[in-house]
């Protein structure tokens, strides 16, 4: 039983870390989107932001299903 708890904690920590990483990536992509003027780059950042939002939704859903919390507040 102890090993299963350790595995869940490790998986949970990985999910929470992934959520934080995606949040940072989204901030960077949104910031870059605001500063570009080239049409190709604008399109590129739009696709990147959409893909990151989907990834973020996936990790939030997974965290919620696992009942993960960060600190005293639930992640979702």
């Amino acid at each position: 039983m102890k090993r299963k708890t350790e595995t869940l904690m490790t998986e949970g920590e990985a999910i929470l870390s992934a959520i934080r990483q995606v949040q940072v990536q989204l901030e960077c992509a949104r910031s870059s989107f605001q500063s570009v003027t080239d049409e190709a780059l604008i399109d590129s950042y739009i696709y990147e932001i959409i893909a990151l939002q989907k990834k973020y939704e996936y990790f939030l859903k997974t965290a919620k299903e696992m009942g993960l919390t960060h600190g005293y507040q639930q992640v979702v």
Side-chain angles (χ1 to χ4, degrees), residues 29 33 39 41-53:
F33 173 78
E39 190 174 319
L41 287 176
I42 290 170
D43 287 345
S44 171
Y45 283 116
I46 289 171
Y47 289 119
E48 182 177 353
I49 290 167
I50 290 169
L52 288 168
Q53 287 173 332

Side-chain angles (χ1 to χ4, degrees), residues 25-41:
Q25 291 172 329
L26 267 169
E27 286 178 32
C28 290
R30 288 177 178 146
S31 177
S32 296
F33 173 78
Q34 294 294 325
S35 65
V36 297
T37 56
D38 182 76
E39 190 174 319
L41 287 176

Side-chain angles (χ1 to χ4, degrees), residues 9 14 20 22 33 35 40 42-43 56 59 64 67-68 74 76:
M9 290 301 291
R20 287 188 292 273
V22 172
F33 173 78
S35 65
I42 290 170
D43 287 345
Y56 185 68
F59 286 125
K64 184 176 182 179
L68 296 177
Q74 209 168 22
V76 291

Side-chain angles (χ1 to χ4, degrees), residues 8-9 11-17 19-20 59-60 62-76:
L8 284 176
M9 290 301 291
E11 289 177 23
E13 290 169 355
I15 296 294
L16 294 176
S17 176
I19 289 171
R20 287 188 292 273
F59 286 125
L60 283 180
T62 303
K64 184 176 182 179
E65 289 171 355
M66 293 176 74
L68 296 177
T69 58
H70 180 67
Y72 295 107
Q73 297 179 343
Q74 209 168 22
V75 175
V76 291

